Coordinates of all heavy atoms in Angstrom, one line a residue:
P14 N 52.9 -137.7 -33.8 CA 52.0 -138.8 -33.5 C 52.7 -140.2 -33.5 O 53.7 -140.4 -34.2 CB 50.9 -138.7 -34.6 CG 51.1 -137.3 -35.1 CD 52.5 -136.9 -35.0
L15 N 52.2 -141.2 -32.9 CA 52.9 -142.4 -32.8 C 53.1 -143.1 -34.2 O 54.2 -143.7 -34.3 CB 51.9 -143.4 -31.9 CG 52.0 -143.3 -30.4 CD1 51.0 -144.1 -29.7 CD2 53.4 -143.5 -29.9
E16 N 52.1 -142.9 -35.1 CA 52.3 -143.6 -36.4 C 53.5 -142.8 -37.1 O 54.3 -143.6 -37.8 CB 51.0 -143.4 -37.2 CG 49.9 -144.2 -36.8 CD 50.4 -145.7 -36.8 OE1 51.0 -146.2 -37.7 OE2 50.1 -146.3 -35.7
V17 N 53.7 -141.6 -36.9 CA 54.9 -140.9 -37.5 C 56.2 -141.3 -36.8 O 57.1 -141.6 -37.4 CB 54.6 -139.3 -37.4 CG1 55.9 -138.7 -37.9 CG2 53.4 -138.9 -38.2
Q18 N 56.1 -141.5 -35.6 CA 57.3 -142.0 -34.7 C 57.7 -143.4 -35.3 O 58.9 -143.7 -35.5 CB 56.9 -142.2 -33.3 CG 56.7 -140.8 -32.6 CD 56.5 -141.0 -31.1 OE1 57.0 -141.8 -30.4 NE2 55.5 -140.2 -30.6
K19 N 56.7 -144.3 -35.5 CA 57.0 -145.6 -36.1 C 57.7 -145.5 -37.4 O 58.6 -146.3 -37.7 CB 55.6 -146.4 -36.1 CG 55.2 -146.8 -34.8 CD 53.8 -147.5 -34.9 CE 53.2 -147.9 -33.5 NZ 51.9 -148.6 -33.7
A20 N 57.1 -144.6 -38.2 CA 57.7 -144.5 -39.6 C 59.2 -144.0 -39.5 O 60.1 -144.4 -40.2 CB 56.9 -143.5 -40.4
I21 N 59.4 -143.0 -38.6 CA 60.8 -142.5 -38.4 C 61.8 -143.5 -38.0 O 62.8 -143.7 -38.5 CB 60.8 -141.3 -37.5 CG1 60.0 -140.1 -38.1 CG2 62.1 -140.9 -37.1 CD1 59.7 -139.0 -37.1
V22 N 61.3 -144.3 -37.0 CA 62.2 -145.4 -36.4 C 62.4 -146.4 -37.4 O 63.5 -146.9 -37.7 CB 61.4 -146.0 -35.2 CG1 62.2 -147.3 -34.8 CG2 61.4 -145.1 -34.0
S23 N 61.3 -146.8 -38.3 CA 61.5 -147.8 -39.4 C 62.5 -147.2 -40.3 O 63.4 -148.1 -40.9 CB 60.1 -148.1 -40.0 OG 60.2 -149.0 -41.0
E24 N 62.4 -146.0 -40.8 CA 63.3 -145.5 -41.8 C 64.7 -145.5 -41.3 O 65.6 -145.9 -42.1 CB 62.9 -144.0 -42.2 CG 63.7 -143.4 -43.3 CD 63.3 -142.0 -43.7 OE1 62.3 -141.5 -43.1 OE2 64.0 -141.4 -44.5
I25 N 64.9 -145.0 -40.1 CA 66.3 -145.1 -39.6 C 66.9 -146.5 -39.3 O 68.0 -146.8 -39.7 CB 66.4 -144.3 -38.3 CG1 66.1 -142.8 -38.5 CG2 67.7 -144.5 -37.5 CD1 66.2 -141.9 -37.3
K26 N 66.0 -147.4 -39.0 CA 66.4 -148.8 -38.8 C 66.9 -149.4 -40.1 O 67.8 -150.1 -40.2 CB 65.3 -149.6 -38.2 CG 65.2 -149.6 -36.7 CD 64.1 -150.6 -36.2 CE 64.2 -150.8 -34.8 NZ 63.2 -151.8 -34.3
G27 N 66.2 -149.0 -41.2 CA 66.6 -149.5 -42.5 C 67.9 -149.0 -42.9 O 68.8 -149.8 -43.5
Y28 N 68.3 -147.6 -42.7 CA 69.5 -147.2 -42.9 C 70.7 -147.8 -42.0 O 71.7 -148.1 -42.5 CB 69.5 -145.6 -42.7 CG 68.6 -144.9 -43.6 CD1 68.0 -143.7 -43.2 CD2 68.4 -145.3 -45.0 CE1 67.2 -142.9 -44.0 CE2 67.6 -144.5 -45.8 CZ 67.0 -143.4 -45.3 OH 66.1 -142.7 -46.1
Q29 N 70.2 -148.0 -40.9 CA 71.2 -148.6 -39.9 C 71.6 -150.0 -40.3 O 72.7 -150.4 -40.1 CB 70.6 -148.6 -38.5 CG 71.7 -149.0 -37.3 CD 72.8 -147.9 -37.4 OE1 72.6 -146.7 -37.3 NE2 74.0 -148.4 -37.4
K30 N 70.6 -150.8 -40.8 CA 70.9 -152.2 -41.2 C 72.0 -152.2 -42.4 O 72.9 -153.0 -42.4 CB 69.7 -152.9 -41.8 CG 68.8 -153.3 -40.7 CD 67.5 -154.1 -41.2 CE 66.6 -154.5 -40.1 NZ 65.4 -155.1 -40.7
V31 N 71.8 -151.1 -43.3 CA 72.8 -151.0 -44.4 C 74.2 -150.7 -43.7 O 75.2 -151.3 -44.1 CB 72.4 -149.9 -45.4 CG1 73.5 -149.8 -46.4 CG2 71.1 -150.4 -46.1
I32 N 74.2 -149.7 -42.8 CA 75.5 -149.3 -42.1 C 76.1 -150.5 -41.4 O 77.3 -150.8 -41.5 CB 75.2 -148.2 -41.1 CG1 74.8 -146.9 -41.9 CG2 76.4 -147.9 -40.3 CD1 74.3 -145.7 -40.9
D33 N 75.3 -151.3 -40.6 CA 75.8 -152.5 -39.9 C 76.4 -153.5 -40.8 O 77.5 -154.1 -40.5 CB 74.7 -153.1 -39.1 CG 74.2 -152.2 -38.0 OD1 75.0 -151.2 -37.7 OD2 73.2 -152.4 -37.4
G34 N 75.7 -153.7 -41.9 CA 76.3 -154.7 -42.9 C 77.5 -154.2 -43.5 O 78.5 -155.0 -43.7
A35 N 77.6 -153.0 -43.9 CA 78.8 -152.4 -44.5 C 80.0 -152.4 -43.6 O 81.1 -152.7 -43.8 CB 78.5 -151.0 -45.1
R36 N 79.6 -152.0 -42.2 CA 80.7 -152.0 -41.3 C 81.2 -153.4 -40.9 O 82.4 -153.5 -40.7 CB 80.1 -151.3 -40.0 CG 81.1 -151.1 -38.8 CD 80.7 -150.1 -37.9 NE 80.7 -148.7 -38.3 CZ 79.8 -147.8 -38.3 NH1 78.7 -148.2 -37.6 NH2 80.0 -146.6 -38.7
A37 N 80.4 -154.4 -40.9 CA 80.9 -155.8 -40.8 C 81.9 -156.1 -41.8 O 82.9 -156.8 -41.5 CB 79.7 -156.7 -40.9
V38 N 81.6 -155.7 -43.1 CA 82.6 -155.9 -44.2 C 83.9 -155.2 -43.9 O 85.1 -155.8 -43.9 CB 82.1 -155.4 -45.5 CG1 83.1 -155.6 -46.6 CG2 80.9 -156.3 -45.9
V39 N 83.8 -153.9 -43.5 CA 85.1 -153.1 -43.3 C 85.9 -153.6 -42.1 O 87.0 -153.7 -42.1 CB 84.6 -151.7 -43.1 CG1 85.9 -150.7 -42.5 CG2 84.1 -151.0 -44.3
D40 N 85.1 -154.0 -41.0 CA 85.8 -154.4 -39.8 C 86.4 -155.9 -39.9 O 87.4 -156.2 -39.2 CB 84.8 -154.5 -38.6 CG 84.4 -153.0 -38.2 OD1 85.1 -152.1 -38.7 OD2 83.4 -152.9 -37.5
N41 N 85.8 -156.7 -40.7 CA 86.2 -158.1 -40.7 C 87.1 -158.5 -41.9 O 87.7 -159.6 -42.0 CB 85.0 -159.0 -40.7 CG 84.3 -158.9 -39.4 OD1 84.8 -159.2 -38.3 ND2 83.1 -158.5 -39.4
Y42 N 87.2 -157.6 -43.0 CA 87.9 -157.9 -44.2 C 89.4 -158.0 -43.8 O 90.0 -157.1 -43.2 CB 87.7 -157.0 -45.3 CG 88.7 -157.2 -46.4 CD1 88.5 -158.3 -47.3 CD2 89.9 -156.4 -46.6 CE1 89.3 -158.5 -48.3 CE2 90.7 -156.7 -47.6 CZ 90.5 -157.8 -48.4 OH 91.3 -158.0 -49.5
R43 N 90.1 -159.0 -44.2 CA 91.6 -159.1 -44.1 C 91.9 -159.9 -45.4 O 91.3 -160.8 -45.7 CB 92.0 -160.0 -42.9 CG 91.6 -159.4 -41.5 CD 92.4 -158.1 -41.2 NE 92.1 -157.7 -39.9 CZ 91.0 -156.8 -39.7 NH1 90.3 -156.4 -40.7 NH2 90.8 -156.4 -38.4
P44 N 93.0 -159.5 -46.0 CA 93.4 -160.2 -47.2 C 93.8 -161.6 -46.9 O 94.5 -161.9 -46.0 CB 94.7 -159.3 -47.7 CG 95.1 -158.6 -46.5 CD 93.9 -158.3 -45.7
Q45 N 93.2 -162.5 -47.7 CA 93.6 -164.0 -47.4 C 94.3 -164.6 -48.6 O 93.9 -164.3 -49.8 CB 92.3 -164.7 -47.2 CG 91.4 -164.3 -46.0 CD 92.1 -164.5 -44.7 OE1 92.9 -165.5 -44.6 NE2 91.8 -163.7 -43.7
I46 N 95.3 -165.3 -48.4 CA 96.1 -165.9 -49.4 C 96.0 -167.5 -49.2 O 96.4 -168.0 -48.2 CB 97.5 -165.5 -49.5 CG1 97.5 -163.9 -49.8 CG2 98.3 -166.3 -50.5 CD1 98.9 -163.3 -49.7
S47 N 95.4 -168.2 -50.1 CA 95.3 -169.7 -50.0 C 96.6 -170.2 -50.5 O 97.0 -170.1 -51.6 CB 94.1 -170.2 -50.9 OG 92.9 -169.7 -50.4
I48 N 97.3 -170.9 -49.5 CA 98.7 -171.4 -49.9 C 98.5 -172.7 -50.6 O 97.9 -173.7 -50.0 CB 99.5 -171.5 -48.5 CG1 99.6 -170.2 -47.9 CG2 100.8 -172.1 -48.8 CD1 100.1 -170.2 -46.5
E49 N 99.1 -172.8 -51.7 CA 99.2 -174.0 -52.5 C 100.4 -175.0 -52.0 O 101.4 -174.5 -51.6 CB 99.2 -173.8 -54.0 CG 98.2 -172.9 -54.6 CD 96.9 -173.6 -54.6 OE1 96.8 -174.9 -54.4 OE2 95.8 -172.9 -54.7
A50 N 100.1 -176.3 -52.0 CA 101.1 -177.2 -51.5 C 102.4 -177.1 -52.3 O 103.5 -177.4 -51.7 CB 100.5 -178.6 -51.5
E51 N 102.3 -176.9 -53.6 CA 103.5 -176.9 -54.4 C 104.3 -175.6 -54.3 O 105.5 -175.6 -54.8 CB 103.1 -177.1 -55.9 CG 102.4 -176.1 -56.5 CD 100.9 -176.3 -56.5 OE1 100.5 -177.1 -55.6 OE2 100.1 -175.7 -57.2
W52 N 103.9 -174.6 -53.6 CA 104.7 -173.5 -53.5 C 105.8 -173.6 -52.5 O 105.7 -174.3 -51.5 CB 103.9 -172.3 -52.9 CG 102.8 -171.8 -53.8 CD1 102.5 -172.2 -55.1 CD2 101.7 -170.9 -53.4 NE1 101.4 -171.4 -55.5 CE2 100.9 -170.6 -54.5 CE3 101.4 -170.1 -52.2 CZ2 99.8 -169.8 -54.5 CZ3 100.4 -169.2 -52.2 CH2 99.6 -169.0 -53.3
P53 N 107.0 -173.2 -52.9 CA 108.2 -173.4 -52.0 C 108.0 -172.5 -50.8 O 107.4 -171.4 -50.8 CB 109.3 -172.9 -52.9 CG 108.8 -172.1 -54.0 CD 107.3 -172.6 -54.2
I54 N 108.5 -172.9 -49.7 CA 108.5 -172.1 -48.4 C 109.9 -171.6 -48.1 O 110.9 -172.4 -48.1 CB 108.1 -173.0 -47.2 CG1 106.7 -173.5 -47.6 CG2 108.1 -172.1 -46.0 CD1 105.6 -172.5 -47.7
V55 N 110.0 -170.2 -48.0 CA 111.4 -169.7 -47.8 C 111.3 -168.8 -46.6 O 110.3 -168.5 -46.1 CB 111.8 -168.8 -49.1 CG1 111.9 -169.6 -50.3 CG2 110.9 -167.6 -49.2
K56 N 112.5 -168.4 -46.1 CA 112.5 -167.5 -44.9 C 112.5 -166.1 -45.4 O 113.1 -165.8 -46.5 CB 113.8 -167.8 -44.1 CG 113.7 -169.2 -43.4 CD 115.0 -169.4 -42.5 CE 114.8 -170.7 -41.8 NZ 116.0 -171.1 -40.9
L57 N 111.9 -165.3 -44.6 CA 111.7 -163.9 -45.0 C 113.0 -163.2 -45.3 O 113.1 -162.3 -46.3 CB 111.0 -163.1 -43.9 CG 110.7 -161.6 -44.3 CD1 109.8 -161.5 -45.5 CD2 110.0 -160.9 -43.0
G58 N 114.1 -163.6 -44.6 CA 115.4 -163.0 -44.8 C 115.9 -163.3 -46.1 O 116.9 -162.7 -46.6
Q59 N 115.4 -164.3 -46.9 CA 115.9 -164.6 -48.2 C 115.3 -163.7 -49.3 O 115.7 -163.7 -50.4 CB 115.5 -166.0 -48.7 CG 116.3 -167.1 -47.8 CD 115.7 -168.5 -48.1 OE1 115.1 -169.2 -47.3 NE2 116.0 -169.0 -49.3
L60 N 114.2 -162.9 -48.8 CA 113.4 -162.0 -49.7 C 113.7 -160.6 -49.6 O 113.5 -159.7 -50.4 CB 112.0 -162.3 -49.7 CG 111.5 -163.7 -49.8 CD1 110.0 -163.8 -49.5 CD2 111.8 -164.3 -51.2
C61 N 114.3 -160.3 -48.4 CA 114.5 -158.8 -48.2 C 115.6 -158.6 -47.1 O 116.1 -159.5 -46.5 CB 113.2 -158.2 -47.6 SG 112.7 -158.9 -46.0

């Protein structure tokens, strides 16, 4: 019945919102390093 269909759609939409939010975290996360002005700047070849 339509009321049951609405309940099924609502339940799955709720789960999908959680998935979408978690996927946004997974897809967009990148390690960020805030560079301080006093840190020395060296060439990579000096480290490896």
Side-chain angles (χ1 to χ4, degrees):
L15 280 175
E16 289 304 313
V17 178
Q18 292 180 42
K19 290 177 183 177
I21 291 169
V22 170
S23 177
E24 183 178 359
I25 291 179
K26 273 188 172 181
Y28 296 147
Q29 191 61 51
K30 284 181 181 178
V31 175
I32 292 172
D33 292 342
R36 185 162 283 133
V38 173
V39 172
D40 291 345
N41 294 298
Y42 172 77
R43 298 291 181 273
Q45 300 294 332
I46 298 175
S47 298
I48 302 172
E49 303 291 340
E51 64 270 18
W52 293 354
I54 303 297
V55 303
K56 292 183 177 180
L57 182 60
Q59 296 174 249
L60 304 177
C61 61

